[in-house]
Amino acid sequence: LQGVEIGAGSRRTFNLGAYVTTTDVSTTVECRDGLVTCERAMYWRAGAGLPWTAGHDCHGVNLPSSTWYLAEGCTDAGFETYVLVQNPGGSPVHVDFTLNTGGGEVKPPELQHVEIGAGSRRTFLLNAYVTTTDVSTRVDCLDGRVICERAMYWRPGAGVPWAVGHDSVGLTSLSSTWYLAEGATDMGFETYVLVQNPGGSPVHVDFTLNTGGGEVKPPELQHVEIGAGSRRTFLLNAYVTTTDVSTRVSCTDGLVACERAMYWRPGAGVPWAVGHNGTGVYRSNPVWYLPEGATDLGFESYVLVQNPGGSPVHVDFTLNTGVGEVKPPELQHVEIGAGSRRTFNLGNYVKTTDVSTKVLCRDGRVICERAVYWRPSPGSPWTVGHDSRGISP
């Protein structure tokens, strides 16, 4: 894995299981003669001999940080929440955890001044410290810089092995505005927006929903209070019913962190068997990169484009595949209406297990995410999926 070539306009996939066997592995990718974008996808089987029954995915980050915010988290109702801390440096560092719950701030003594060894990774199960459906995390590194993610796993029934999970990297700063491009509240999908206020005073937030039919501002989602040191969860299904809904969260009197989680059932009467999750972004941009994607072997990849602006914009798609660059004519100069969201199925344009995407907006600024779904066996419903927001320069 040293000096590995990535062809022009292309995408390559690397299986870490070919190099190490461990439950704790973090990765640093360094490009010595250019610039690249990276994501990491994980898949697993709920039992021996079964096909891939679950998976999750997350984009990489450019730099370690001394502070990380992880808005999603749940340690009740069968969910297990893990915070993963990577120290790529040459010296040990020490971290403090602050948990923002529905009932306020919690600082477990066992999670203060915890050492992370040089060049190592440690995993922390939040269930050992709080039992709640609403828990966000702040990680502070006292004497260095680290990288943090949070993974959640759950069982769709008593006695069932981990059949599903989702994951996301943390945020390194708070903001007064957050955009979340993915979302669906129809066809069995449930979409939750999670708002973390790690501050010492209550704040108030306004929600704007960008749907396929334009902008919606539910009155009940205006000037909503988020208590000091707390976390609140909002179910978008209570306000709109649509397969296309993006979200803008505006904090009018403070700074917050936001994520969005989606869950769905593969059949009527079935418990939540699948879900995915993604962090918000604090500003729209003209260019987005989405390294992960597959449109073969039962995988379906969707790119979700949110235009929160007051005027239509136009986007161009470039697909980077294992054999080079593809620019489908139907994906050039595509209009995204004012205050709206559109969904694009990459399987309509390429068939490959390696496809990354670049979205370029020539006359405005947008937000992009990419969701991947697959079926563990032919003819079965979508029972698994993962999602990640794009990377912007």
Side-chain angles (χ1 to χ4, degrees):
L1 290 181
Q2 311 306 309
V4 180
E5 180 172 289
I6 314 294
S10 74
R11 163 31 219 280
R12 287 192 64 180
T13 303
F14 301 90
N15 180 3
L16 298 190
Y19 308 98
V20 292
T21 302
T22 174
T23 54
D24 289 320
V25 57
S26 300
T27 308
T28 301
V29 178
E30 296 179 285
C31 185
R32 300 186 179 277
D33 49 4
L35 300 173
V36 294
T37 58
C38 291
E39 290 190 41
R40 181 219 56 253
M42 287 175 55
Y43 303 94
W44 64 96
R45 297 166 173 82
L50 293 178
W52 279 348
T53 53
H56 58 54
D57 168 85
C58 185
H59 65 87
V61 296
N62 298 108
L63 294 168
S65 175
S66 58
T67 302
W68 291 91
Y69 301 96
L70 304 135
E72 169 65 304
C74 180
T75 59
D76 202 356
F79 287 85
E80 297 179 11
T81 299
Y82 295 81
V83 174
L84 322 163
V85 185
Q86 174 187 6
N87 173 20
S91 302
V93 298
H94 300 83
V95 296
D96 290 345
F97 285 70
T98 302
L99 308 183
N100 301 125
T101 74
E105 184 176 279
V106 178
K107 288 192 172 187
E110 310 94 319
L111 291 181
Q112 310 306 306
H113 204 68
V114 180
E115 181 169 291
I116 314 295
S120 74
R121 164 32 219 284
R122 288 192 62 181
T123 302
F124 301 89
L125 175 60
L126 298 191
N127 296 58
Y129 309 100
V130 292
T131 301
T132 173
T133 54
D134 290 319
V135 57
S136 300
T137 307
R138 172 176 173 161
V139 179
D140 292 295
C141 187
L142 310 176
D143 48 9
R145 296 157 69 88
V146 294
I147 299 96
C148 289
E149 293 189 37
R150 179 217 55 257
M152 286 174 57
Y153 303 95
W154 64 98
R155 298 166 172 82
V160 177
W162 276 351
V164 253
H166 60 56
D167 169 273
S168 182
V169 71
L171 299 163
T172 57
S173 63
L174 304 173
S175 178
S176 60
T177 303
W178 291 100
Y179 300 97
L180 304 134
E182 169 65 303
T185 58
D186 202 357
M187 298 181 65
F189 288 89
E190 297 178 10
T191 298
Y192 295 81
V193 174
L194 322 159
V195 184
Q196 174 185 8
N197 172 21
S201 303
V203 298
H204 299 83
V205 296
D206 295 337
F207 285 69
T208 302
L209 308 181
N210 301 125
T211 75
E215 186 175 278
V216 178
K217 289 191 172 186
E220 309 94 321
L221 290 181
Q222 310 307 307
H223 203 65
V224 181
E225 182 168 290
I226 314 294
S230 75
R231 158 43 212 282
R232 286 193 64 181
T233 303
F234 301 89
L235 174 61
L236 298 190
N237 295 59
Y239 308 100
V240 292
T241 302
T242 174
T243 54
D244 290 320
V245 57
S246 299
T247 308
R248 173 178 172 166
V249 178
S250 303
C251 187
T252 55
D253 52 4
L255 302 173
V256 294
C258 287
E259 294 188 40
R260 179 220 54 259
M262 285 175 59
Y263 302 94
W264 63 97
R265 298 167 171 83
V270 178
W272 276 351
V274 209
H276 60 54
N277 163 268
T279 60
V281 298
Y282 60 84
R283 66 183 178 195
S284 53
N285 280 294
V287 181
W288 292 92
Y289 299 98
L290 304 134
E292 169 64 307
T295 58
D296 201 357
L297 297 176
F299 288 86
E300 299 179 12
S301 294
Y302 295 82
V303 174
L304 322 159
V305 185
Q306 174 186 8
N307 173 20
S311 302
V313 298
H314 300 84
V315 296
D316 295 341
F317 285 69
T318 302
L319 309 181
N320 300 124
T321 74
V323 295
E325 186 176 277
V326 179
K327 289 191 173 186
E330 309 95 319
L331 290 182
Q332 310 307 308
H333 203 67
V334 180
E335 182 168 292
I336 314 294
S340 74
R341 167 22 225 284
R342 286 193 63 180
T343 303
F344 301 89
N345 182 358
L346 299 188
N348 293 333
Y349 309 99
V350 292
K351 189 171 185 179
T352 173
T353 54
D354 288 318
V355 56
S356 300
T357 307
K358 173 183 175 179
V359 178
L360 172 64
C361 184
R362 298 189 177 277
D363 52 4
R365 300 162 70 90
V366 294
I367 300 96
C368 291
E369 292 190 40
R370 180 223 52 261
V372 178
Y373 302 95
W374 66 98
R375 298 167 172 82
S377 58
S380 66
W382 277 352
T383 53
V384 224
H386 59 58
D387 168 90
S388 180
R389 69 170 177 84
I391 300 167
S392 191

